[in-house]
């Protein structure tokens, strides 16, 4: 694996918003290190539709 292949861009999506049935989506684009974090990424981010911090999980890209 070359140095440039270790860090990849991933899309994280709000899990609470997806299950609530409201229209729209809350998504962020971020990077992660595949070598240090091989599992799916979970971060607390702000959801502007729900107007609070929620858990965002990496989606399949």
């Amino acid at each position: 694996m070359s140095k440039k292949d270790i860090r990849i861009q991933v899309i994280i999506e709000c899990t609470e918003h997806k299950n609530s049935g409201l229209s729209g989506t809350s998504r962020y684009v971020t990077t992660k290190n595949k070598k240090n974090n091989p599992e799916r990424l979970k971060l607390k981010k702000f959801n502007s539709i729900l107007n609070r911090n929620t858990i965002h999980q990496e989606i399949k890209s």
Side-chain angles (χ1 to χ4, degrees):
M1 215 186 259
S2 69
K3 290 248 183 207
K4 295 187 179 193
D5 293 336
I6 293 175
R7 217 144 180 76
I8 59 167
Q9 268 193 341
V10 294
I11 301 169
I12 55 176
E13 183 177 48
C14 180
T15 55
E16 292 179 33
H17 186 95
K18 189 169 35 171
N19 297 334
S20 70
L22 294 171
S23 62
T25 57
S26 175
R27 289 184 176 170
Y28 287 92
V29 176
T30 187
T31 60
K32 80 169 188 176
N33 189 325
K34 275 200 306 193
K35 191 174 182 182
N36 294 339
N37 302 317
E39 66 279 347
R40 290 220 174 155
L41 188 64
K42 282 186 182 179
L43 295 173
K44 263 193 153 182
K45 302 292 273 180
F46 184 75
N47 185 332
S48 59
I49 298 168
L50 297 177
N51 204 22
R52 60 190 167 108
N53 286 331
T54 58
I55 296 174
H56 287 64
Q57 186 174 8
E58 179 182 343
I59 61 173
K60 255 186 177 174
S61 50

